[in-house]
Amino acid sequence: MSNRSGRSRRLSRGDRRRNEKLARLRAVITRESAVLAFDLAADKQVCALTDQDSQVLARRTVTTKAWQLSEAVAWGLARAAEAGFASVVVACEPTGHRWRVLDQIAAEQGVRLVCVQPLLVHRAREAEDFTRNKNDDSDAMIIARLVTELRCYLPERAEPDWARLRHLGARRTRLVVEVGAGRQQTRDLLECAWPAALAAAADPLESKSWLAALTVVLDRVGASGDLSVIGRWGWARFAAAVRRELPAHGTSRWYSTIVRAVFDAATDPAAAGTGVLGQRAGALERVRFALADLAHARAEVTVVEERMVELLDDLGLTGLVTSMPGLSAVGAATILAETGDPTRFSSARALVKHAGLCPRDNASGAYQGKTGISGRGRPELRLAAWRAVFAALRHNAVVAARHAHLTGRPERRLTDAQARVAVAGSLLRQLHAVLTTGVPWNPAIAAGLTRPEQEVAAA
């Protein structure tokens, strides 16, 4: 071909990795294998057996639970053998927990399970006949067709420790939401019924002295909402009660200025008279419930985080992850609970893509549109990486320099939020490199210095 009409190009890194992925899938989904696709539900399981051209060879519907599908898989193997196939590939959507049960059943039968993303099934359902027709039989056939087109993936089979870390991470995520909800509810109720109490500390819901003092006030006031009982009780008795309450909040030391401010907010007529008085009794009663829920959720978060760190120790990863300044063992465990074993990713870019933090191209010909992130993958992983950025910017000079470069360059300057997203992707890439190589974090390598520059920096 002449240079005028075009030129030869080498395969890109993306081409090579895509080819490798297809080769791995083709090693499982061979030409001699039929596809046994399941549309899983609670009590009704629909399966379709197809050939490599997605022609349906047999169908079956069974009314049973997912963990009772051994006989259905054996039926698929027998019907595939009758049609001249050497084996089958079991396929399904990875929804809920049922696909894990089916994966174990398939392994017991000596066959492999592949998964198809629900979004692909949704798009393919409309493309099938240009309608939005949906039923279990057609979904099973669509799953099988996507598998024959290699539009599927091999699911992760996590080791017990990694599986446990993921479950702990899921519980921590729920508890953190409960903590946030308890904080917000407490603040909203006090702003309505007794706003002066919130002015007693700069960050009241993080102050153990404030929490102890407010708990004492609410216990003493009860359901009446009458703050005057604190004044009749007196400062000495109030202070003694707060001291007794402090250990329940994880401390024995108080800040008398904050405790005194809460006492004044309850006893000073001007402060005690603020808020909607008609709502005070019921609102303060709800605040006491909210504080109890908040304390319980925070205690549970502590327990879960301790177990997650212990798992990191058992996996031998604590020293590696904490070698990155600004990344705590809890922060790393939260990220790894969402990623699973990082060695299962072929590259650091694959991990970033799994988090949905990879750039999304928007170009055609000479047009270059605005580029954002894909936003796909695991949202909780994206959130964990985003939260890790805040501590890293304060304690990691390399990360801070990267953020300053992205926000300070004259051309293509990024906003603070955009730069933090880019830094979150960088943290995931660095974490992947540290854990897959087993080498502690090196600031020179993280900064992208060449070998001679690293030697000069070390000298």
Side-chain angles (χ1 to χ4, degrees), residues 168 171-172 175 300-309:
L168 287 173
R171 174 160 176 78
R172 180 185 180 276
L175 290 171
E300 288 295 298
V301 167
T302 301
V303 172
V304 171
E305 289 178 348
E306 289 175 353
R307 295 188 180 187
M308 293 173 73
V309 173

Side-chain angles (χ1 to χ4, degrees), residues 241-263:
V242 171
R243 287 187 179 277
R244 292 192 298 269
E245 178 67 22
L246 285 172
H249 299 269
T251 186
S252 58
R253 181 179 178 182
W254 74 342
Y255 287 90
S256 59
T257 303
I258 294 176
V259 176
R260 186 77 197 199
V262 174
F263 179 79

Side-chain angles (χ1 to χ4, degrees), residues 220-240:
R220 185 65 179 172
V221 168
S224 67
D226 183 11
L227 295 175
S228 63
V229 298
I230 302 299
R232 293 194 296 271
W233 205 18
W235 165 250
R237 295 177 65 185
F238 177 77

Side-chain angles (χ1 to χ4, degrees), residues 178-179 182 185 288-298:
E178 290 181 5
V179 169
Q185 184 181 58
R288 185 64 186 92
F289 290 136
L291 288 180
D293 294 340
L294 180 61
H296 175 74
R298 281 175 165 167

Side-chain angles (χ1 to χ4, degrees), residues 159-172 304-305 307-312 315 317 329-330 332-341:
E159 297 294 328
D161 283 344
W162 286 105
R164 183 180 169 218
L165 182 61
R166 175 156 291 181
H167 286 293
L168 287 173
R171 174 160 176 78
R172 180 185 180 276
V304 171
E305 289 178 348
R307 295 188 180 187
M308 293 173 73
V309 173
E310 288 174 0
L311 265 179
L312 278 191
L315 292 167
L317 302 178
V330 172
T334 304
I335 292 174
L336 293 177
E338 294 297 324
T339 65
D341 188 352

Side-chain angles (χ1 to χ4, degrees), residues 86-242:
S87 183
V88 301
V89 175
V90 180
C92 68
E93 294 177 276
T95 53
H97 67 278
R98 300 182 185 95
W99 72 271
R100 297 187 184 275
V101 178
L102 185 57
D103 184 27
Q104 179 171 296
I105 292 172
E108 292 171 352
Q109 298 278 359
V111 295
R112 189 66 188 267
L113 174 82
V114 296
C115 289
V116 178
Q117 286 287 0
L119 180 60
L120 280 179
V121 177
H122 173 75
R123 297 284 172 83
R125 186 183 299 126
E126 186 169 352
E128 183 68 22
D129 56 3
F130 302 105
T131 70
R132 295 184 178 178
N133 180 56
K134 183 185 187 312
N135 59 69
D136 297 340
D137 290 320
S138 64
D139 280 0
M141 185 273 297
I142 289 172
I143 292 171
R145 176 164 61 81
L146 291 171
V147 170
T148 61
E149 296 172 357
L150 300 185
R151 301 178 68 185
C152 56
Y153 67 94
L154 300 173
E156 173 194 12
R157 287 178 173 173
E159 297 294 328
D161 283 344
W162 286 105
R164 183 180 169 218
L165 182 61
R166 175 156 291 181
H167 286 293
L168 287 173
R171 174 160 176 78
R172 180 185 180 276
T173 297
R174 184 178 66 81
L175 290 171
V176 168
V177 172
E178 290 181 5
V179 169
R183 286 168 51 90
Q184 192 60 46
Q185 184 181 58
T186 300
R187 185 180 296 276
D188 288 346
L189 290 171
L190 288 177
E191 284 179 348
C192 172
W194 186 27
L198 293 172
D203 192 0
L205 290 165
E206 291 298 326
S207 170
K208 296 179 180 179
S209 296
W210 184 87
L211 289 170
L214 187 67
T215 301
V216 170
V217 169
L218 297 179
D219 286 343
R220 185 65 179 172
V221 168
S224 67
D226 183 11
L227 295 175
S228 63
V229 298
I230 302 299
R232 293 194 296 271
W233 205 18
W235 165 250
R237 295 177 65 185
F238 177 77
V242 171

Side-chain angles (χ1 to χ4, degrees), residues 359-376:
R360 182 189 66 229
D361 289 336
N362 184 20
S364 177
Y367 170 78
Q368 178 62 57
K370 185 177 180 180
T371 300
I373 60 171
S374 71
R376 301 295 185 182

